[in-house]
C-alpha cells in the first residue's frame, strides 16, 4: 500500500532529473533526425578583405529550421549538443558541407578560406585532425583554405590531447583562429598556448568603436598585438560604413557583418559574391 502511494506521488511530480533525461532523450533523437532530414543546414557569411576590398572567405554557421519550433538559434542548440554528446556529429556535418562549398568557391576565388566553428570540447579527441584531413582530401581542398575557429563555449583543456590536435591541425596546414577574442576568460592564455593564424575581434568591441575611445584603444592594441604575433584580424558584426572606415584606418585585415552580408544559403552566397566581386568586391545579403 505504502509503495503504491509513493508511486502515485512520483508520477504526479516528475523529478528534475527525470525531466532532464526525457529532454535529453528527445533532443538527441530530434537532433539526429534533424541531421538526416536536412532540417539542419549551413549558412555562409561573407568576409571582406579591407586592403583589397574583395570577398576572401566565409564563415559557416549552423542553422536548425525545426518544423514545429521554427528556427532554433545555434547558441541554443550548440550548447545542448555539447551537453548531450551530439556536438561531434553536428560538427562533422558542418565541416563536410563547408569544405564541399569551399571547393566550389575556389573555382571562383583562388585564395578563398572557409571558417568553421569548433567547440573547444572536441579538441581533446585524438581523431579530430585525422577526420578533418580525410574531409579535405575527399573534397580536394588544400588545408590552408580551412580556418578552424576555436570558440570558447567551454574552456580549452590544457591537456596533451588538445596540444596534439592543435599541433596536428597546424602541421596539416589548417589555419587556427581564436573566436570572440577578448570575451572569454583565457584568450590571452590561448595566445601563448598555440600559434593562432587569426584573431576574431568580438562584436562587443566592434560595436562601441565609434563612441568609446577606450574600445578603440583596445581594438587598436589587439590588432597590433595580433600582427606582432603573425596573426591576421577579423572584426565581427560590422553593421555600418563608419565602423568599416575606422577599422580600416586601424589596420584591421578583414571584416564580417551585416554591412557586407548576412549569413545566407549557399546559392545566394555564391550569387552575391560572384556578381559583386569583379566591380566593388562588396556583397549584399
Ligand atoms: P560566432 O562564431 O561568433 O558567429 C558570429 C555570430 O554573429 C553569428 O550568429 C552571426 O550570424 C552573427 N552576426 C554576424 N554579423 C552580424 C552583424 O553584423 N550583426 C549582428 N547582430 N550579428 C551578426 P549565429 O549564426 O547566431 O551563431 C551564434 C554562435 O553559434 C556563433 O557565434 C558560434 O559560436 C556558434 N555556432 C554557429 N554555428 C556553429 C557550429 O557549426 N559549431 C559550433 N561549435 N558553434 C557554432
Ligand atoms: Mg565563429
Ligand atoms: Mg565569433
Ligand atoms: Mg561572437
Amino acid at each position: 500500500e505504502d509503495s503504491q502511494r509513493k508511486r502515485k506521488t512520483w508520477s504526479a511530480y516528475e523529478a528534475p532529473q527525470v525531466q532532464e533525461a526525457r529532454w535529453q532523450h528527445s533532443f538527441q533523437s530530434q537532433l539526429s533526425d534533424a541531421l538526416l532530414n536536412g532540417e539542419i543546414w549551413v549558412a555562409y557569411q561573407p568576409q571582406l578583405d579591407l586592403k583589397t576590398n574583395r570577398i576572401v572567405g566565409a564563415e559557416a554557421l549552423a542553422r536548425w529550421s525545426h518544423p514545429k519550433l521554427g528556427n532554433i538559434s545555434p547558441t541554443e542548440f550548440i550548447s545542448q549538443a555539447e551537453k548531450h554528446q551530439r556536438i561531434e556529429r553536428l560538427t562533422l556535418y558542418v565541416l563536410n558541407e563547408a569544405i564541399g562549398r569551399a571547393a566550389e568557391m575556389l573555382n571562383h576565388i583562388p585564395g578563398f578560406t572557409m571558417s568553421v566553428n569548433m567547440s573547444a570540447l572536441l579538441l581533446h579527441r585524438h581523431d579530430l585532425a585525422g577526420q578533418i584531413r580525410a574531409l579535405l582530401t575527399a573534397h580536394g581542398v588544400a588545408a590552408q583554405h580551412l580556418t578552424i575557429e576555436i570558440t570558447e563555449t567551454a574552456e580549452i583543456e590544457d591537456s596533451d590531447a588538445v596540444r596534439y590536435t592543435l599541433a596536428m591541425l597546424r602541421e596539416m596546414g589548417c589555419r587556427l583562429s581564436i573566436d570572440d577574442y577578448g570575451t572569454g576568460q583565457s584568450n590571452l592564455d590561448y595566445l601563448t598556448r598555440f600559434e593562432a593564424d587569426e584573431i576574431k575581434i568580438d562584436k562587443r568591441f566592434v560595436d562601441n568603436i565609434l563612441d568609446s575611445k577606450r574600445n578603440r584603444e583596445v581594438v587598436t592594441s589587439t590588432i597590433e598585438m595580433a600582427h606582432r604575433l603573425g596573426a591576421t584580424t577579423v572584426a565581427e558584426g560590422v553593421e555600418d560604413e563608419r565602423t568599416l572606415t575606422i577599422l580600416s584606418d586601424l589596420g584591421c585585415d578583414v571584416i564580417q557583418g551585416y554591412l557586407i552580408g548576412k549569413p545566407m544559403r549557399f546559392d545566394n552566397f555564391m550569387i552575391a559574391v560572384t556578381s559583386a566581386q569583379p566591380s566593388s568586391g562588396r556583397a549584399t545579403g
Side-chain angles (χ1 to χ4, degrees):
E1 236 194 77
D2 229 34
S3 69
Q4 190 115 33
R5 217 172 54 220
K6 240 183 217 154
R7 216 173 292 144
K8 258 194 190 143
T9 325
W10 278 112
S11 65
Y13 168 73
E14 209 170 62
Q17 304 93 282
V18 178
Q19 285 176 8
E20 172 64 18
R22 260 184 214 286
W23 158 242
Q24 183 164 330
H25 180 78
S26 102
F27 177 80
Q28 285 182 8
S29 56
Q30 283 194 57
L31 184 57
S32 301
D33 289 351
L35 282 166
L36 295 172
N37 299 340
E39 288 168 28
I40 297 212
W41 54 281
V42 182
Y44 299 90
Q45 186 175 32
Q47 296 180 328
L48 181 84
D49 185 312
L50 287 175
K51 307 253 154 49
T52 61
N53 205 34
R54 290 188 171 257
I55 301 299
V56 288
E59 178 173 7
L61 293 156
R63 293 287 177 266
W64 187 352
S65 307
H66 192 283
K68 292 208 185 76
L69 302 173
N71 295 326
I72 307 177
S73 159
T75 46
E76 220 169 295
F77 70 84
I78 298 288
S79 65
Q80 288 299 322
E82 282 178 339
K83 250 198 227 160
H84 302 307
Q85 281 87 51
R86 284 296 183 276
I87 190 68
E88 185 173 22
R89 246 188 98 183
L90 182 70
T91 304
L92 288 174
Y93 175 80
V94 173
L95 274 166
N96 184 44
E97 290 285 313
I99 294 170
R101 296 316 197 175
E104 288 184 56
M105 285 315 300
L106 282 163
N107 294 324
H108 301 271
I109 303 174
F112 192 87
T113 59
M114 182 64 81
S115 295
V116 176
N117 292 285
M118 182 63 61
S119 161
L121 286 178
L122 292 176
L123 294 176
H124 73 270
R125 302 276 175 116
H126 72 279
D127 52 345
L128 181 73
Q131 285 171 322
I132 292 176
R133 190 205 303 269
L135 290 173
L136 287 166
T137 306
H139 291 286
V141 172
Q144 82 251 27
H145 300 292
L146 179 68
T147 302
I148 299 293
E149 288 188 11
I150 296 159
T151 59
E152 206 190 345
T153 41
E155 211 203 311
I156 303 182
E157 228 177 273
D158 190 15
S159 64
D160 286 344
V162 169
R163 272 190 291 275
Y164 170 83
T165 300
L166 293 173
M168 276 287 285
L169 287 171
R170 278 207 108 240
E171 203 182 294
M172 278 161 55
C174 290
R175 300 178 72 243
L176 297 180
S177 170
I178 301 177
D179 203 355
D180 305 324
Y181 182 79
T183 61
Q185 298 163 330
S186 35
N187 280 161
L188 269 175
D189 179 41
Y190 293 173
L191 286 178
T192 62
R193 270 161 53 187
F194 61 91
E195 284 179 55
D197 301 276
E198 177 185 288
I199 289 174
K200 291 194 88 170
I201 305 168
D202 194 71
K203 178 167 171 47
R204 186 179 313 186
F205 303 108
V206 172
D207 274 344
N208 296 314
I209 205 173
L210 291 171
D211 315 316
S212 156
K213 181 164 190 307
R214 296 187 74 82
N215 268 57
R216 229 158 28 238
E217 295 295 353
V218 167
V219 171
T220 306
S221 43
T222 302
I223 292 169
E224 193 186 308
M225 181 191 61
H227 289 167
R228 280 178 192 224
L229 293 171
T232 59
T233 48
V234 179
E236 291 188 330
V238 178
E239 293 181 354
D240 59 90
E241 286 285 349
R242 286 175 63 208
T243 304
L244 176 151
T245 305
I246 296 180
L247 287 164
S248 180
D249 290 346
L250 295 181
C252 183
D253 302 286
V254 171
I255 62 167
Q256 185 183 333
Y258 294 172
L259 177 68
I260 311 305
K262 289 194 171 177
M264 53 194 125
R265 292 204 179 259
F266 182 75
D267 292 352
N268 296 334
F269 176 84
M270 177 65 104
I271 292 165
V273 167
T274 51
S275 59
Q277 197 70 353
S279 49
S280 70
R282 201 67 66 76
T284 48

